[in-house]
Amino acid sequence: MTQRTAIVTGSARGIGAAVAKRLAADGFQVAVLDLDESACAATVDAIKSAGGQALAVGADVSDEAAVAAAVEKVATELGAPTVLVNNAGILRDNLLFKMSVDDWDMVMNVHLRGAFLMTRAVQKYMVDAAYGRIVNLSSTSALGNRGQVNYSAAKAGMQGFTKTLAIELGKFGVTANAIAPGFIVTDMTAATAARVGADFEDFKKLMAAQIPVARPGQPEDIAHAASFFASEAAGFVSGQVLYVAGGPKD
């Protein structure tokens, strides 16, 4: 396989870090992109220690100029990016009547504006190479989740974004797919537990009891799916939403 360059946003920790490490193990050169470049060090070091190639990149994905500079840096220092994983995300949970406009805007800006800006900046490299893989992180919250009207709307939007990318870019050899994780053990789900006033260990047990496979998900579970969508073998799979949730979802 031709060695390719992948960008994984929000990859300093959690799902993004697991995806970055997995893609590096698959043979990709990986740009580990997060808001704070220094926060990417642990992921980059882990990849390099395992014999892979990685570059730390700091950028606010909702900032057009920062995205353009970040993608140019990746293209210059690693190579033209032909794989993009839009994973960057934040939580600003609250019930609708308590939610501020800032909490709505911040979630929309990171998830949707960020995915738009990153994809628009990277797609030209994919089109030039007549090859590309776009993997967007949605969520089971796209189906609706109390206290997450902003996050749920953003994650549902990621699914429509993905399907439209598949239609527009398919003729250029570019696929676009989405992964919708269920309950995954990360800092973000720990924050959700804290929001509802639950001990995280108790919260994990409660969630596991509702999952058919009887366990919470791990970031590596999502990384396995991303590995497939990013591979050459997935060239005839596009516009799909894969729920990785330990059981069926509508």
Side-chain angles (χ1 to χ4, degrees), residues 129-197:
Y131 181 93
R133 299 285 185 266
I134 300 165
V135 183
N136 295 320
L137 269 292
S138 179
S139 168
T140 55
S141 290
L143 303 172
N145 196 31
R146 179 180 171 84
Q148 291 193 318
V149 67
N150 48 3
Y151 186 77
S152 295
K155 290 307 192 182
M158 289 293 275
Q159 296 189 16
F161 179 65
T162 298
K163 292 177 183 293
T164 303
L165 291 177
I167 294 167
E168 291 191 8
L169 299 177
K171 65 183 179 181
F172 301 108
V174 179
T175 66
N177 292 286
I179 300 169
F183 181 76
I184 309 294
V185 177
T186 65
D187 291 344
M188 287 183 75
T189 50
T192 299
R195 174 175 64 87
V196 298

Side-chain angles (χ1 to χ4, degrees), residues 75-133:
T76 301
E77 298 187 28
L78 278 186
T82 53
V83 174
L84 172 64
V85 180
N86 284 309
N87 168 76
I90 61 171
L91 290 177
R92 292 293 184 273
D93 294 350
N94 222 326
L95 296 174
L96 175 64
F97 78 99
K98 295 180 179 180
M99 186 171 290
S100 69
V101 171
D102 283 346
D103 285 346
W104 174 272
D105 287 346
M106 288 180 70
V107 168
M108 290 297 166
N109 285 343
V110 174
H111 292 267
L112 287 176
R113 179 182 168 93
F116 160 69
L117 290 174
M118 286 298 305
T119 304
R120 190 182 64 174
V122 169
Q123 60 86 29
K124 61 185 177 182
Y125 295 99
M126 298 179 176
V127 171
D128 287 346
Y131 181 93
R133 299 285 185 266

Side-chain angles (χ1 to χ4, degrees), residues 10-60:
S11 51
R13 61 188 63 82
I15 288 173
V19 170
K21 293 172 189 175
R22 175 58 188 267
L23 294 186
D26 289 344
F28 292 96
Q29 300 174 128
V30 180
V32 177
L33 189 150
D34 215 296
L35 184 61
D36 180 1
E37 182 175 320
S38 63
C40 301
T43 305
V44 170
D45 289 347
I47 290 172
K48 289 183 175 180
S49 295
Q53 293 178 271
L55 173 70
V57 182
D60 176 353

